[in-house]
């Protein structure tokens, strides 16, 4: 009828759209960011022995440097994820890339431990701000039927980036010195930043929720759903059946019945990241202390991460088809069993490596799946805040885990006993996820709607 405005439900349009080049482009660009994030997060571990040798100091003195990077990740997640719910996913992703690119580059000219500590902290702030936002952006362009799969596949860029760093760092250091690793880690994100400015779209859900110009929304929606592009014209309005954010977004994580869900989610992130970083940092040393050859001990970390990549993809598909709490809770419980296998299989390679792989499947793979679960728990208005604060709380666990391992060894625990200590947090993560199943966010919390029809 003349004068009657055509209104499109953006959520329904995203669900209806076929997965095509536009969605693939978003997922691929976010995976590329995750890869650079993984490379720069692990870069200091690759160069620490070389710097220690050149500067005439013990590698043990790098503990504060490692901790500063993780602290920066925590601060970045806490501060920049709420900023994205106010200023947009793309804006904060670009800012985060700029921060960690610049300070990774500056790290190449560090001449003292204090300079190295400051630069690694600031690099970590950028790294910590990027991760929750690429999770949120990927999630917000993914239909529910593929959401967990796309988020987990995208996030596999992070361990892949760590692996790439391990492969190229040795020849880079041999040819150009340790500074070259940070130069690559700085130049690459700054170059990709230019690509992102042109090709990475802002979240469609965020644009509607924030009242962006409908011409901008319509242009993105035409790319997302070309089959229905003809339905979009200058008079089309857009609606999002989700609440708008007002005030302090972190407080919203505890309102409208979300408090218990948020706390359980934080508990799961904290416990599992504690276990994950405990194993990543201490497994080679503990296996070496148990009598394994050093080459085999180092290989165990690669096997752990490989299990995580396989687990992420497998669990992502299962989450899309089954109850996600049942899938992830069971994976954490199974990982506790396989950690026991690692502890008691340290003298038998044929028992050890499958146990390490399966522990990685559950610990690392399920953590990547938890990112998708967190993105689905919160509405658009506070999604980046919800994911970012869960990761930030988890980062605290990632700092405590390695420290606790060192404290247990210092207290005289055996290598086997230290590995077994990781069983408890893995079981607690499992219980937290199962408890989430019994305490979903009330549906009434999602009844409000944001409309753009002017």
């Amino acid at each position: 009828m003349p004068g009657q405005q055509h209104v499109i439900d953006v959520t329904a349009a995203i669900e209806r759209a076929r997965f095509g080049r536009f969605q693939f482009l978003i997922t691929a660009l976010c995976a590329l960011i995750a890869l650079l994030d993984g490379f720069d997060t692990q870069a200091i571990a690759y160069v620490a022995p070389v710097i220690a040798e050149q500067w005439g100091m013990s590698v043990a003195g790098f503990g504060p440097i490692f901790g500063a990077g993780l602290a920066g990740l925590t601060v970045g997640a806490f501060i920049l994820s709420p900023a994205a719910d106010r200023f947009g996913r793309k804006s904060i992703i670009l800012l985060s890339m700029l921060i960690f690119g610049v300070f990774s580059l500056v790290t190449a000219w560090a001449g003292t431990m204090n300079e190295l500590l400051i630069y690694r902290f600031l690099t970590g702030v950028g790294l910590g701000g990027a991760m929750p936002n690429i999770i949120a952006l990927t999630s917000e362009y993914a239909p529910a039927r593929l959401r967990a799969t796309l988020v987990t596949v995208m996030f596999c860029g992070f361990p892949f980036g760590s692996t790439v760093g391990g492969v190229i760092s040795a020849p880079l250091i041999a040819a150009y010195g340790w500074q070259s690793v940070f130069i690559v880690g700085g130049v690459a994100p700054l170059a990709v930043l230019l690509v992102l400015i042109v090709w990475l779209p802002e979240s469609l859900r965020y644009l509607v929720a924030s009242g962006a110009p409908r011409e901008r929304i319509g242009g993105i929606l035409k790319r997302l759903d070309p089959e229905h592009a003809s339905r979009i014209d200058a008079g089309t309005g857009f609606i999002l059946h989700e609440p708008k954010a007002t005030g302090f977004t972190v407080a919203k994580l505890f309102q409208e019945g979300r408090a218990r869900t948020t706390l359980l989610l934080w508990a799961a992130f904290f416990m599992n990241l504690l276990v994950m970083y405990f194993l990543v940092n201490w497994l080679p040393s503990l296996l070496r202390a148990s009598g394994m050859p050093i080459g085999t001990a180092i290989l165990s970390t690669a096997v752990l991460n490989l299990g995580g990549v396989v687990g992420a993809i497998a669990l992502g598909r299962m989450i899309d088809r089954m109850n996600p709490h049942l899938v992830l809770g069971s994976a954490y419980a199974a990982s506790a069993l396989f950690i026991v296998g690692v502890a008691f299989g340290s003298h038998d390679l044929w028992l050890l490596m499958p146990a390490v792989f399966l522990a990685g499947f559950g610990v690392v793979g399920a953590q990547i799946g938890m990112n998708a679960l967190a993105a689905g728990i919160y509405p658009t208005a506070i999604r980046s805040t919800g994911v970012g604060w869960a990761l930030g709380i988890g980062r605290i666990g990632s700092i405590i885990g390695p420290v606790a391992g060192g404290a247990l060894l210092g207290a005289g625990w055996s290598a086997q006993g230290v590995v077994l200590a990781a069983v408890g947090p893995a079981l607690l993560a499992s219980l937290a996820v199962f408890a989430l199943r019994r305490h979903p966010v009330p549906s009434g919390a999602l009844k409000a709607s944001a409309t753009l029809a002017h």
Side-chain angles (χ1 to χ4, degrees):
M1 290 177 60
Q4 184 176 9
Q5 186 182 48
H6 175 225
V7 177
I8 293 178
D9 183 334
V10 170
T11 300
I14 292 172
E15 293 297 326
R16 179 186 63 233
R18 296 174 58 186
F19 183 81
R21 286 182 294 180
F22 185 62
Q23 295 93 324
F24 177 81
L25 174 67
I26 295 167
T27 305
L29 288 175
C30 289
L32 178 59
I33 297 168
L35 184 148
L36 296 172
D37 200 308
F39 180 95
D40 274 348
T41 297
Q42 294 295 317
I44 188 65
Y46 305 137
V47 304
V50 181
I51 296 177
E53 182 179 343
Q54 291 186 5
W55 290 5
M57 57 177 293
S58 170
V59 176
F62 273 78
I65 307 298
F66 296 150
L70 291 171
L73 285 163
T74 305
V75 171
F78 281 153
I79 294 177
L80 294 179
S81 53
D85 285 326
R86 183 174 297 273
F87 300 109
R89 317 290 187 239
K90 179 176 180 177
S91 300
I92 301 302
I93 288 172
L94 296 179
L95 176 62
S96 299
M97 293 276 287
L98 180 64
I99 292 172
F100 79 74
V102 167
F103 285 104
S104 179
L105 197 58
V106 170
T107 305
W109 282 270
T112 67
M113 290 296 287
N114 285 337
E115 289 179 359
L116 201 58
L117 187 146
I118 293 170
Y119 297 153
R120 286 308 297 172
F121 174 82
L122 293 172
T123 302
V125 171
L127 295 169
M131 194 55 66
N133 287 297
I134 60 175
I135 293 170
L137 187 62
T138 303
S139 171
E140 288 171 355
Y141 272 107
R145 65 185 183 275
L146 294 173
R147 185 168 299 133
T149 300
L150 292 179
V151 171
T152 51
V153 168
M154 178 278 295
F155 201 86
C156 284
F158 185 89
F160 185 68
S162 299
T163 303
V164 169
V167 171
I168 71 172
S169 290
L172 276 175
I173 293 170
Y176 305 106
W178 63 265
Q179 294 89 345
S180 62
V181 176
F182 292 113
I183 292 174
V184 171
V187 170
L190 293 177
V192 170
L193 183 64
L194 301 176
V195 176
L196 298 178
I197 292 172
V198 177
W199 293 104
L200 186 70
E202 181 54 89
S203 164
L204 189 59
R205 298 175 193 252
Y206 167 81
L207 291 174
V208 176
S210 61
R214 62 187 177 190
E215 293 80 9
R216 185 181 180 189
I217 297 170
I220 293 177
L221 194 54
K222 287 178 181 179
R223 296 177 65 192
L224 176 74
D225 190 11
E227 293 182 5
H228 295 83
S230 60
R231 299 174 56 201
I232 304 170
D233 55 35
T236 302
F238 305 95
I239 189 171
L240 179 70
H241 288 287
E242 292 186 17
K244 290 185 177 181
T246 57
F248 185 47
T249 54
V250 177
K252 301 294 181 184
L253 303 180
F254 296 90
Q255 297 173 0
E256 299 178 328
R258 298 190 189 98
R260 184 174 292 180
T261 297
T262 293
L263 291 174
L264 287 170
L265 187 68
W266 287 4
F269 269 74
F270 178 90
M271 291 299 172
N272 191 62
L273 282 173
L274 185 154
V275 173
M276 188 167 82
Y277 278 83
F278 173 90
L279 292 176
V280 167
N281 282 275
W282 283 110
L283 193 58
S285 299
L286 294 173
L287 292 178
R288 182 72 182 109
S290 297
M292 277 284 176
I294 185 63
T296 303
I298 293 174
L299 179 63
S300 67
T301 302
V303 173
L304 185 81
N305 282 308
L306 176 62
V309 172
V310 175
I313 296 172
L315 293 172
R317 290 303 296 149
M318 293 172 68
I319 291 169
D320 280 332
R321 300 184 179 193
M322 302 168 61
N323 184 289
H325 306 94
L326 180 62
V327 172
L328 294 172
S330 299
Y332 285 146
S335 70
L337 177 64
F338 294 122
I339 290 171
V340 174
V342 173
F344 287 98
S346 58
H347 299 290
D348 184 347
L349 188 64
W350 294 104
L351 176 60
L352 174 67
M353 287 306 174
V356 169
F357 178 89
L358 291 170
F361 187 103
V363 173
V364 182
Q367 179 57 46
I368 297 175
M370 281 296 293
N371 296 327
L373 179 65
I377 284 177
Y378 298 107
T380 300
I382 58 171
R383 179 169 291 119
S384 186
T385 301
V387 174
W389 272 67
L391 282 169
I393 295 295
R395 293 295 182 188
I396 297 174
S398 74
I399 296 170
I400 292 175
V403 172
L408 293 177
L409 284 173
W413 285 42
S414 67
Q416 185 182 76
V418 174
V419 173
L420 287 173
V423 171
L427 291 175
L428 289 173
S430 175
L431 291 174
V433 175
F434 282 130
L436 271 172
R437 183 183 183 185
R438 296 194 297 272
H439 300 289
V441 176
S443 58
L446 305 179
K447 286 183 178 178
S449 67
T451 307
L452 180 68
H454 55 280

